[in-house]
Every structure is written in C-alpha cells, then in structure tokens.
C-alpha cells in the first residue's frame, strides 16, 4: 500500500515503495538492467561485426582463387621461352554402364564404329556388366568427343582431365623425359624437377632449361640423317657452352615421342648421352697431351718422340692407323692421331698424375648434371698399372659418357677450369656452378692450335666448315664383341670446339657402329662419318649462337706449324 | 506545432541522411571492386585461351615440321662466310654504281690545235736515242735564241722536268728528235730553255684538258710561264 500522501497540488514524486514491494521493485530493476545490458551487448557485437566486415571483409560476389592462372603441373620452357612441356586439359571418354538407358546393342555398335580398338562384343559385355565405370579412351580428340556426345547417351561420361603435352614431340625427348599416368615424372627433367613442378607454390613459374630448341633441332636432324646414312644402331650428341657449362643441346638416337612414351622401345628410352658409357678412343688424346703439358713432361709442342711402326711395351703392342715410322713431334702426334706417340706421353705422365687429372675432370664419377639418368664410368680401377696408363692415354681403357667428354673439352678449352654441366639456364637465380682449376691457362691456349691443326690438316679435315674455325679431335674406338676388340664394329666420335681463336662452344657427336658406304670408300672411321656431320651442324648452329663466319680469323697456328712436316706432294 | 519543435526531427533527419550517404559511398566502392574482379577473371580466362592457342600453334608449327618443310620446299640454309659484311659501309660499297662503258657513243680522238710555226732551230743534232742524259746536259746552257723546236710537232709537246745544275757545262745541243723513235717519256730538252726564253704561248699546252700528258706537264711548268692558261 502506498503511503498516504496529501492529495494536494504537490509535485508528483517518485513512487516510493516501502518494504517488500520496494525490494521486489529493486529486483525487477536489476533484472531489467541486466536484460538491457545483454541486449545492448548483442547489438553492440552485431554492430562491431558489421563495422569490421565493412572495413576488411569480402563483399558478395567475389570469385576467389582465380587471380593467376596456375597450371596443375609446372611448365618446362627452353632458354628462349618456347614451351617444351605444358599441361592441357584433355577429354577422356568413359562409360558408366549403370546409367545407360537406351538400346545396349545399338550403343555397342556405335562405340565399336567410333573407337575400333575393341570390337562390338567386348563393348556389349562392358555395358551389360554391372561395374560402375570404365575408361574407354583417356586422350580423345575433340572430334571423337563430339561424335560420342552426339550419340546422346547419358551413360557416356565425357570429362576433362589435366594431362601433359609436349608440343615439340620428340625434340629433346631425353632431356625432358615423360610423366606416368598419375602425373609424376618418370624420366629426364620431369623426374629431376618433379617436386618443383608439383608444388603449388613453385609451379606457377616455368622451369627454364638451358636447351635451345633451334640448336637441338639442327643437331637432331643431322644426327638422324647420318645415322640413317651409315646405318648406325645409335647416336648421341651434345652441344655445350664452355664458359658456363650450360647444355645447349643434348640428344640420343633412336628417340621417342614423350607424348606416347609407353609406345617407345627400351632402346629409345635409353639416354645414350648421359647413361651410356663408351670407350671414346682418340678423343682422349688432347687430355693426355694437356696433362703432360701441365705436368711439365711435354715442354713444347715440338717435343720429339720416336714413333716406330709398332710400339712394344712388355707384352703389349700398340699400333697406329697411319704409322709414322720416324721421329715425330707432339703436334704431329695429335695431327695424325698416333697411338704410339700418345702412349709414350702417357707413360711419362704416369698413373698417379693421370688418375688425379681424371678425378679433377669428373671422369671417375657419374657425370655432374641435374638429370637422374647417369651412367657409371668404367675405369681400370685398382688395376691401374703402366699398361693401363698407356691405354687410358689413348682412350681405350676407360669408358665414359659423351657428356663427360663434352665437359672435359669444355674444361680444357675455357682456360682450364672445370664447371659442372647444367641443364638449367644460367641467370641471376641460377649462377654458374662452382668450379675448380684443372689445367693451366697456357695449356688451354696451346691446345687450341693443336686441335685446330687436326681439323685443318689432320684426320678431321672433313669437319672444317669454312669461316667457323672449328677445331677438334676424331676418335674411332673398336667395340668389344665376344670379349675381344673387333675392327668390324666401331664407335666413332668427334669432339669439336669452335670458334678456335676464342673457344665458346663444344660439340660432341657419336655414332654407334656406323657402317662403311661407297661414298666413304669403304672406310668407317670417324673422319668419314661423324666429322662431316659436325661440320654441317656447326655451319647451321653457329650463326644462331652468335658466331660469325670469318675467313680472316683463325687460331694462332704459329704455335704448331713449325713442328709439322709438310706433306710431300 | 511551431518550427522550433522540428529541430530534433531535423537533426535526426540530418543524421539519417548522412548515414545513408556513407552507405551509398560504400555501395559504390563495392560495385567498383566487383567490376575490377570481373575484369581480372576475364583476364585469367583470356590467358587460358591464349595458352591453348599457343599450344596449338606450337604443336602445328613445331621445329620438326618446319625442318620437313625446309627440306622439301623452302630449301633455306645458313649464310656462308662471304655473305657477311662488317657494317653499313661495306654493304654500301657492294652496291656502289660501276663505271659503265657506253659502246654506242661516238669515238672522239684526242686532238690538239696545230702548233704555231716555231723559229728554226739553231743546229740540228745527230746523236742517237740512248744519249738522253748527254742531251739533257747539253741543253742546260743553251743560248737564249734557242727556239722552240719548230714545227717538230709532237716533239714540241714534250717536256720533261730536269734537274738543272747551274754552272754545269753542256755539251752540244740536241734538237728535238722525231717522236716515233723514242717513248714519250724521254726528255725533249730543247723545249725547256725555249720556254724560258719565250713568252709566247707554249704550243704543248693545247688549251683543253684532253691531253693527259700535257696536264701532267702543266705543274712542272706552272712556275715557268704563268701567262699560260692551263685549261
């Protein structure tokens, strides 16, 4: 009950409850305030959230994750940016038998007509089976897809799946490699850089190889033509930059199409340039002479050695293809590729020094390159006596890969510094590999005139392309058939360096078992088959590489010419 | 109600309008952002199309195919060593115009005006052809009235510079010899002193530029007779 108040014209006061009613009122007030606070808090939260969203939130209609085109697997491009391997979406045709409505026989007949690899009966069996899914063709051409779609059958599933495409087909096939059905690399650069190509963070930027497509194509074409002409069973070629170690071209024949890698033979999948080891014969002689010059054994290019028709050392007899039968100088030994002279030089160098040099050049280990397919070299091993030293000196006791040879020549002619070969382009993100010195500058300089002499007047005359100043060394090595060397079957190599007045590029070409033809007058030595091949290739690729043919320039032949007999006319 | 009582209403209305204005601005910003994203997604789609087309062109125009076309049809090859030139100057030299001989033009023989009849020579000489040096010395100190070798026509056109050593005695004078017995380069020494002597127009300078011999003699005699008009 309210307290009695005078019913006068007094200002109305606030209600003053007394006693229990007052308490109840207080409680009611508290509860109201509590509710108000809760309500205010909720509104405040909503308002703050709205403010935050307005400032930082995405608005409706935003399509995420398309800010850049990131392919499902990284691209591989060549040094000029031409794509060599890229991902595309291919159509695949699949059959879902549970969803087939319509005439099964008719469908089977149509499918057999469109995709004749299976016959009608097997298609019908597939349709009638209860299995949920069959792949009919994993890479279907758009015309076929259109035709299958025109059948109007919901049981045919046409979907796009990412797949790997090599637009240049068999160009640089061994360098690029191929992927398996799951999209993982199984050979070549696809395998070596698989992590970088699959990782979403890095697959946006393409991998730039050091390969130049034009040089690669020229080399492959010439090698294929020579292989066909001389009926060789295999061929390999490498073009390298001597200063950076970049591999500008690397090929191995027979080649394959990496788009359909499964259909190639194991012979075609074998990379002869990095995996195959061969005794490379006389192409080793410049290394021996270089070792001798560095060790002080050979003090001048005119140093004389006795070159009889046969050289006996213990039980071993060394023969020459063009025996001198007289004393000859180091220059002449190199010019006519004399085994006898080189054997003597190698003996003077000695096994220890020879092994040390080969170790420094990387010949005792698998070749240094990013690819995983690397062959192990065959060396005399523990049996490295004097006879082994001799034979290694002229390239017969040791089997290395063509890429080893190219790296070795690059080392000899770039001033004597070894750099590992690399398949990635050298730029600011990928500098030249750390190197170490193997030969002295002077040895490197003197070797230029020696090898230019071989091409000007010696066994490599057919390799000379006018104006390009090619120097190099031929090598014809007998293959081992049935446990012993046979002269019927040879491996011919030519290792060339150009331009010889200032070496920049090395090219190595190898033919496995070339046969003699009428045009070569029955000879199958390197000077007849692989040397002209190198000459033609260099005249094609040198302008692309910036080497201008100039008849007025040449290596400093005054270093060697005084020590070479003029041939009697 | 009076206007005064509208004030709170007006203030509320002002606040509401301001709030609506802010909302409009933010709506506008959102619309621009949406437009930008639309453009970006179209860029990405276009890039995808470009990639597909490039792949197609790259496959159809791959190097192996180009090589096949070159082998069969185009037959292009790398240039040879002699097809490179050092620069623009060499290239221009290759393209310079050559001197063409016009075979149909009429042939004009070199001609000279007939020389004026010269004074007779003092003494005819009888030495032989070989004695050029002697004759040269002989005429050094020839007396003044040594006339120009007469109507000795071609011989009178000859003049060869000689090294005169003053004070040297000269043997007998020789006159001009017939030209046919000598090569044109041989000194006809009599002409020289005659030139010194006379002021007359030398007959050996025909006054046209055709005669190469005469023009080559002109510098030698330029100091001698300046009244000559070379051409």
């Amino acid at each position: 009950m309210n307290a009695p108040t005078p019913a006068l014209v007094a200002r109305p006061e606030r209600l003053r409850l007394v006693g229990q009613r007052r308490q109840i009122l207080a409680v009611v007030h508290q509860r109201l305030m509590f509710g108000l606070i809760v309500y205010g808090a909720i509104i405040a939260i909503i308002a703050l959230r709205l403010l935050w969203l307005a400032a930082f939130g995405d608005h409706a209609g935003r399509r995420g994750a398309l800010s850049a085109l990131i392919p499902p697997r990284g691209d591989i491009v060549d040094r000029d940016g031409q794509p060599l391997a890229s991902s595309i979406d291919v159509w695949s045709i699949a059959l879902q038998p549970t969803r087939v409505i319509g005439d099964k026989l008719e469908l089977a007949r149509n499918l057999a007509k469109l995709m004749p690899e299976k016959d009608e009966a097997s298609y019908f069996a597939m349709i009638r089976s209860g299995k949920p899914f069959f792949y009919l063709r994993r890479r279907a051409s758009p015309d076929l897809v259109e035709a299958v779609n025109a059948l109007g059958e919901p049981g045919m599933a046409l979907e796009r799946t990412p797949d790997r495409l090599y637009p240049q087909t068999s160009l640089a096939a061994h360098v690029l490699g191929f992927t398996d059905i799951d999209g993982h690399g199984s050979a070549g650069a696809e395998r070596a850089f698989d992590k970088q190509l699959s990782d979403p963070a890095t697959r946006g930027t393409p991998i730039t190889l050091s390969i130049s497509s034009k040089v690669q194509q020229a080399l492959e074409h010439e090698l294929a033509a020579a292989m066909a002409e001389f009926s060789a069973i295999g061929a390999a070629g490498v073009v390298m930059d001597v200063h950076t170690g970049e591999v500008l071209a690397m090929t191995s024949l027979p080649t394959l199409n990496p788009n359909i890698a499964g259909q190639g033979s194991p012979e075609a999948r074998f990379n002869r340039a990095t995996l195959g080891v061969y005794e490379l014969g006389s192409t080793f002689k410049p290394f021996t002479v270089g070792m001798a010059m560095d060790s002080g054994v050979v003090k001048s290019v005119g140093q004389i050695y006795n070159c009889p028709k046969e050289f006996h050392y213990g039980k071993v007899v060394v023969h020459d293809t063009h025996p001198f039968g007289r004393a000859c100088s180091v220059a002449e030994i190199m010019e006519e590729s004399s085994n006898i002279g080189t054997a003597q030089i190698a003996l003077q160098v000695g096994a220890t020094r020879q092994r040390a040099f080969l170790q420094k050049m990387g010949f005792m280990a698998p070749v240094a390159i990013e690819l995983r397919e690397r062959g192990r070299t065959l060396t005399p091993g523990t049996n490295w006596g004097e006879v082994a030293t001799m034979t290694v000196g002229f390239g017969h006791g040791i089997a290395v890969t063509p890429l080893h040879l190219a790296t070795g020549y690059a080392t000899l002619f770039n001033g004597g510094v070894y750099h590992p070969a690399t398949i990635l382009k050298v730029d600011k993100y990928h500098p030249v590999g750390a190197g170490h010195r193997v030969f002295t500058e002077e040895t490197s300089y003197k070797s230029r005139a020696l090898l230019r002499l071989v091409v000007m007047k010696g066994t490599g005359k057919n390799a000379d392309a006018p104006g390009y100043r090619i120097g190099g060394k031929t090598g014809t090595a007998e293959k081992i058939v049935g446990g012993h060397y046979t002269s019927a079957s040879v491996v011919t190599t030519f290792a060339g360096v150009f331009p010889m007045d200032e070496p920049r590029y090395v090219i190595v070409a190898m033919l496995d078992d070339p046969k003699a033809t009428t045009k070569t007058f029955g000879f199958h030595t390197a000077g007849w088959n692989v040397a002209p091949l190198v000459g033609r290739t260099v005249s094609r690729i040198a302008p692309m590489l910036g080497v201008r043919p100039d008849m007025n320039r040449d290596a400093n032949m005054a270093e060697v010419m005084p020590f070479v007999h003029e041939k009697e006319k | 109600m009076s206007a005064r009582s509208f004030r709170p209403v007006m203030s509320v209305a002002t606040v509401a309008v301001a709030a609506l204005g802010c909302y409009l601005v933010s709506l506008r910003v959102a619309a621009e952002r949406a437009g930008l994203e639309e453009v970006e997604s179209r860029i990405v789609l276009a890039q995808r199309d470009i990639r597909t087309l490039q792949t197609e062109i790259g496959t159809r125009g791959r190097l192996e195919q180009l090589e096949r076309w070159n082998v069969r049809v185009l037959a292009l090859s790398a240039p040879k060593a002699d097809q490179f030139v050092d620069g623009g100057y060499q290239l221009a030299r290759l393209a310079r115009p050559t001197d063409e001989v016009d075979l149909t033009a009429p042939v004009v023989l070199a001609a000279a005006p007939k020389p004026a009849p010269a004074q007779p020579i003092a003494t005819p000489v009888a030495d032989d052809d070989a004695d050029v040096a002697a004759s040269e010395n002989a005429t050094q100190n020839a007396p003044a009235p040594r006339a120009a070798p007469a109507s000795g026509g071609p011989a009178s056109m000859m003049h060869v510079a000689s090294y005169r050593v003053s004070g040297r005695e000269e043997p007998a004078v020789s006159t001009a010899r017939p030209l046919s017995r000598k090569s044109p380069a041989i000194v006809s020494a009599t002409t020289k002193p005659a030139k010194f002597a006379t002021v007359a127009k030398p007959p050996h300078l025909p006054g046209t530029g055709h005669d190469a011999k005469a023009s080559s003699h002109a510098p030698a005699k330029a100091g001698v007779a300046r009244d000559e008009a070379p051409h």
Side-chain angles (χ1 to χ4, degrees):
Chain A
M1 261 337 177
N2 289 357
T5 52
L8 298 171
V9 199
R11 207 173 305 163
E13 292 173 353
R14 288 174 63 160
L15 275 173
R16 280 187 300 121
L17 296 172
V18 292
Q20 199 193 11
R21 286 185 76 112
R22 189 188 184 110
Q23 257 182 318
I24 292 171
L25 197 59
V27 167
V28 165
H29 274 174
Q30 279 170 7
R31 284 184 185 162
L32 265 178
M33 200 50 64
F34 181 68
L36 195 63
I37 285 170
V38 166
Y39 183 66
I42 290 174
I43 299 233
I45 286 172
I46 291 175
L48 280 174
R49 173 78 180 150
L50 278 174
L51 280 175
W52 191 86
L53 277 176
F56 303 116
D58 297 342
H59 57 276
R62 186 184 194 103
R63 277 175 267 193
L66 264 189
S67 53
L69 188 63
I70 299 183
R73 190 172 163 84
D75 287 349
I76 301 180
V77 296
D78 82 341
R79 70 183 298 122
D80 304 314
Q82 300 290 322
L84 292 174
S86 52
S87 289
I88 56 164
D89 285 333
V90 290
W91 286 106
S92 63
I93 300 177
L95 174 69
Q96 289 172 308
T98 48
R99 295 214 193 145
V100 169
I101 59 179
D103 192 4
K104 296 198 168 95
L105 269 176
E106 185 70 29
L107 179 62
R109 201 173 308 135
N110 285 330
L111 286 176
K113 212 171 358 156
L114 287 173
M115 288 178 281
E117 60 258 16
K118 292 201 186 56
D119 65 340
E120 204 178 312
S122 44
Y123 280 124
F124 191 60
M126 274 202 281
I127 296 170
R128 276 218 319 184
S129 75
K131 303 233 183 78
F133 197 81
F134 281 107
Y135 264 121
L136 291 183
R137 194 175 281 197
R138 294 199 81 119
R139 283 178 186 168
S141 64
D143 300 334
L144 181 61
V145 167
E146 209 175 306
V148 167
N149 196 29
L151 292 175
E153 176 60 60
M156 304 300 302
L158 305 165
E159 49 194 33
R160 303 207 77 173
T161 48
D163 196 7
R164 204 73 169 147
L165 174 75
Y166 303 91
Q168 299 281 342
T169 59
S170 54
L171 192 75
H174 291 96
V175 171
L176 293 171
F178 41 86
T179 54
D180 59 12
I181 206 141
D182 301 322
H184 297 302
S186 40
E190 296 268 13
R191 182 167 154 220
F193 303 112
D194 195 40
K195 205 159 79 66
Q196 191 179 340
L197 289 169
S198 320
D199 186 13
T202 50
R203 69 187 189 213
T205 47
I207 290 182
T208 310
L209 297 180
S210 60
I211 300 282
S212 169
S213 305
K214 305 178 287 236
V215 176
Q216 177 86 26
Q217 172 62 36
L219 181 66
E220 278 196 19
H221 177 82
E222 297 294 337
L223 263 178
M227 190 170 138
E229 187 184 344
F230 299 107
S231 319
I233 61 175
V238 179
V239 175
M240 263 178 76
D241 182 324
V242 302
H243 294 295
T244 60
E246 289 173 302
V247 174
L248 293 165
M250 183 157 78
T251 178
S252 160
L253 296 172
T255 189
L256 74 154
N257 184 351
N259 291 308
I260 41 169
Q263 297 176 16
S265 64
E267 283 279 311
R269 281 196 283 269
F270 185 76
N271 187 353
R272 284 170 167 74
T274 57
L275 198 49
V277 290
Y278 304 91
E279 281 188 347
L280 290 171
S282 306
T283 50
F284 251 72
K285 288 176 182 152
F287 299 135
T288 308
V289 173
M291 288 177 208
M293 286 202 275
D294 251 15
S295 315
V297 162
V298 163
K299 294 177 190 52
S300 146
V301 167
Q303 188 156 313
I304 301 288
Y305 286 91
N306 188 24
C307 299
K309 302 259 197 233
E310 283 181 349
F311 180 65
H312 293 264
Y313 193 81
K315 282 200 290 256
V316 174
V317 183
V318 182
H319 296 278
D320 265 350
T321 332
H322 309 280
F324 281 109
R326 57 170 169 85
C328 54
S329 64
V330 172
E332 288 177 315
I333 289 173
M334 186 64 70
E335 181 196 0
E336 291 300 331
S337 189
S338 163
N339 290 340
I340 292 169
T342 317
Q344 293 173 59
I345 297 177
L347 281 172
Q348 284 184 329
V349 171
T352 327
R353 280 193 289 214
Q354 190 182 60
R355 202 170 10 194
F357 268 105
L358 292 178
Q359 174 88 34
K360 277 198 277 188
M361 283 204 287
F363 277 38
M364 311 291 279
V367 65
I369 198 168
E370 289 90 350
L371 302 178
R372 302 270 176 88
E373 298 87 29
R374 294 176 290 178
R376 231 182 265 277
T377 57
L378 304 171
T379 59
T382 49
N383 198 11
W384 209 309
E386 303 217 299
V387 173
T389 309
M390 266 195 336
T391 49
V392 166
F394 52 83
H396 268 270
I398 183 169
V400 297
T401 62
L403 187 60
H404 269 120
L405 194 70
T407 317
Y409 269 74
T411 305
L412 181 57
F413 285 97
N414 71 3
V417 181
Y418 165 83
H419 291 290
T422 172
I423 203 80
L424 295 175
K425 184 175 175 188
V426 164
D427 56 15
K428 62 180 185 214
Y429 303 111
H430 176 67
V432 179
H436 52 263
R437 180 163 281 284
V438 178
F439 299 105
T440 59
E441 280 246 21
E442 199 177 329
T443 305
S444 175
Y445 179 72
K446 285 195 187 147
S447 303
R448 294 182 193 177
L450 271 179
L451 261 68
R452 181 74 183 123
L453 175 68
V454 172
V455 171
M456 272 175 118
K457 293 186 178 326
T459 55
K461 275 196 289 279
N462 289 332
D464 199 12
Y468 290 109
R469 295 99 72 197
I470 305 177
K473 188 74 192 69
T474 54
T476 309
E478 297 174 348
K479 287 173 81 163
I480 297 184
V481 171
H484 60 273
Y485 286 109
T486 167
S487 61
S489 179
V490 293
V491 169
T492 53
T493 325
F494 186 88
V497 181
F498 67 97
M500 214 40 161
D501 48 317
E502 199 62 55
R504 284 162 57 188
Y505 300 102
V506 61
I507 171 168
V508 169
M510 183 203 82
L511 285 175
D512 192 346
D513 196 10
K515 317 284 187 293
T517 65
T518 46
K519 282 213 205 113
T520 66
F521 309 109
F523 293 111
H524 62 182
T525 50
W528 288 103
N529 42 46
V530 107
L533 147 74
V534 167
R536 281 195 300 269
T537 311
V538 170
S539 45
R540 271 182 74 169
I541 68 176
M544 291 181 214
L545 295 169
V547 176
R548 196 196 117 165
D550 197 338
M551 301 301 290
N552 300 322
R553 296 180 129 196
D554 213 330
N556 185 9
M557 301 306 287
E559 301 262 337
V560 290
M561 291 313 262
F563 308 114
V564 174
H565 273 98
E566 282 294 322
K567 295 214 173 9
E568 323 285 330
K569 292 264 166 51
Chain B
M1 289 198 193
S2 63
R4 247 181 306 140
S5 65
F6 273 115
R7 190 163 297 171
V9 174
M10 296 304 279
S11 59
V12 165
T14 313
V15 168
V17 164
L20 274 178
C22 292
Y23 182 58
L24 274 175
V25 167
S26 88
L27 263 187
R28 189 83 185 161
V29 166
E32 286 297 329
R33 269 204 211 131
L36 184 64
E37 279 184 7
E38 172 76 27
V39 169
E40 275 178 6
S41 67
R42 286 223 305 267
I43 287 175
V44 166
L45 288 175
Q47 277 175 344
R48 207 178 62 190
D49 288 339
I50 288 173
R51 213 176 124 87
T52 314
L53 288 170
Q54 273 178 344
T55 308
E56 174 150 5
I57 289 179
T59 309
R60 285 179 191 273
R62 61 190 187 276
L63 279 165
E64 182 200 332
Q65 177 68 58
L66 296 178
E67 178 101 43
R68 247 182 288 160
W69 282 333
N70 193 33
V71 163
R72 289 199 195 138
V73 179
L74 299 170
L76 300 169
S77 60
K80 306 270 181 305
D82 53 1
Q83 287 174 287
F84 281 82
V85 291
D86 274 324
Y89 186 74
Q90 262 198 7
L91 191 61
R93 238 184 106 77
L94 287 174
R96 73 182 160 173
T98 51
D99 289 337
E100 293 285 335
V101 176
D102 188 8
L103 296 169
T104 56
V107 178
V108 177
L109 294 174
K114 198 171 161 162
Q119 295 85 349
I121 301 171
T123 48
V125 80
D127 31 319
D128 52 334
D129 300 354
D131 208 358
V132 176
S135 68
E136 208 175 329
N137 290 336
T139 56
Q140 295 301 332
N141 305 330
R146 170 64 34 84
S151 43
S156 63
M157 292 192 240
M158 287 305 121
H159 176 75
V160 175
S162 65
Y163 181 59
R164 299 184 58 180
V165 179
S166 58
R168 189 185 298 178
E169 215 217 341
E170 285 191 310
V173 162
S174 63
T175 52
R177 299 169 195 76
L179 191 59
S180 57
R181 282 166 53 199
K182 285 203 185 15
S183 65
I186 292 187
V187 174
S188 168
T190 51
T191 62
K192 190 157 194 290
K195 291 306 149 259
F196 275 102
T198 59
V199 207
K201 210 168 193 67
H204 65 280
L205 258 190
T208 55
H210 283 306
D211 195 342
K213 286 195 276 270
S215 58
S216 68
H217 293 154
K221 296 175 21 288
V224 174
R226 289 196 208 279
D227 60 340
E228 303 167 1
H231 298 291

